[in-house]
Amino acid sequence: MKHKLTLTLYSFLLVCCFSLCINAQQHAFDLNIVNYSDKPDANIEHLHLLSLTNNSNKVLNYSISSQEIICKTEYDDVVSNKIGDVDNNEEVVVNEKNSSSLTVEIYNKALSKKIDKMILNPNESIEFYVKITRHNNTEMGTLKCFKIATHLLDNEKAGKYVIIRTFIPNPNILRH
């Protein structure tokens, strides 16, 4: 009985330590939208400025990805979407066959090269652009949502994401 209680106590402490480590890594960095594109919805190209900050005391390697997801009503609040959430991969990804003809690319701040990985020193922050380009065959009058996610390369479970919504107006409707 005494050994069972000791084993239970050690198991509990181990789980607590593991949870703290995972939680600490998720707060080791921040992902935020600095500025949404200020161009009209009808523009073919939009640039959104994002920021990634390493809050830890060690050098961290990140991967950056994007995927189209099904839009939800909570994504309507563009102010709260500016602050990155912990990525638990609960968003429903749009089927590739049904995907819109929008291109999402991630560029460095100078817009000189595409990126999918970053290395940040302790307490360093870097800004980068998410470029969304509409093609001629994109469905008009639709709303598309994209999840921009960053993950630690050494721990894919530690990640954050932001949602960027893109409205493709119908040019036949007045004021578009």
Side-chain angles (χ1 to χ4, degrees):
M1 179 73 175
K2 187 176 182 181
H3 294 295
K4 189 173 184 180
L5 183 61
T6 304
L7 182 63
T8 303
L9 179 62
Y10 283 135
S11 297
F12 175 74
L13 290 174
L14 183 65
V15 168
C16 287
C17 289
F18 181 72
S19 296
L20 283 173
C21 289
I22 293 293
N23 200 19
Q25 284 188 332
Q26 288 176 339
H27 296 293
F29 66 96
D30 290 320
L31 174 68
N32 297 305
I33 298 174
V34 176
N35 282 319
Y36 289 106
S37 172
D38 59 354
K39 295 186 178 179
D41 290 336
N43 273 38
I44 291 175
E45 181 180 287
H46 289 273
L47 291 171
H48 306 279
L49 183 63
L50 278 68
S51 159
L52 181 63
T53 304
N54 179 354
N55 298 324
S56 76
N57 57 2
K58 61 182 180 176
V59 175
L60 294 176
N61 296 309
Y62 303 92
S63 66
I64 305 168
S65 63
S66 69
Q67 60 187 143
E68 185 176 350
I69 59 172
I70 294 176
C71 290
K72 298 178 184 176
T73 55
E74 62 254 31
Y75 302 152
D76 292 345
D77 185 358
V78 293
V79 174
S80 70
N81 283 339
K82 281 188 163 190
I83 300 167
D85 283 331
V86 174
D87 191 5
N88 51 17
N89 291 317
E90 289 182 358
E91 287 75 24
V92 179
V93 178
V94 172
N95 185 346
E96 293 295 325
K97 292 179 189 173
N98 299 332
S99 180
S100 68
S101 53
L102 295 174
T103 302
V104 179
E105 299 169 311
I106 300 167
Y107 283 90
N108 63 359
K109 184 147 187 210
L111 293 169
S112 59
K113 72 175 191 174
K114 290 183 189 180
I115 55 173
D116 62 355
K117 292 181 177 55
M118 285 188 194
I119 299 172
L120 292 180
N121 292 318
N123 299 312
E124 183 181 10
S125 183
I126 191 166
E127 292 181 337
F128 60 95
Y129 281 103
V130 173
K131 178 180 171 183
I132 299 177
T133 308
R134 177 173 44 94
H135 300 281
N136 291 335
N137 61 345
T138 303
E139 316 83 57
M140 297 295 156
T142 59
L143 181 68
K144 303 293 180 186
C145 291
F146 295 93
K147 174 182 173 180
I148 311 301
T150 56
H151 290 91
L152 292 176
L153 283 177
D154 61 342
N155 182 358
E156 283 294 317
K157 292 184 182 189
K160 292 206 173 179
Y161 73 95
V162 292
I163 303 296
I164 296 178
R165 295 173 354 138
T166 300
F167 178 68
I168 300 100
N170 187 337
N172 298 327
I173 298 176
L174 290 176
R175 293 179 289 218
H176 285 288

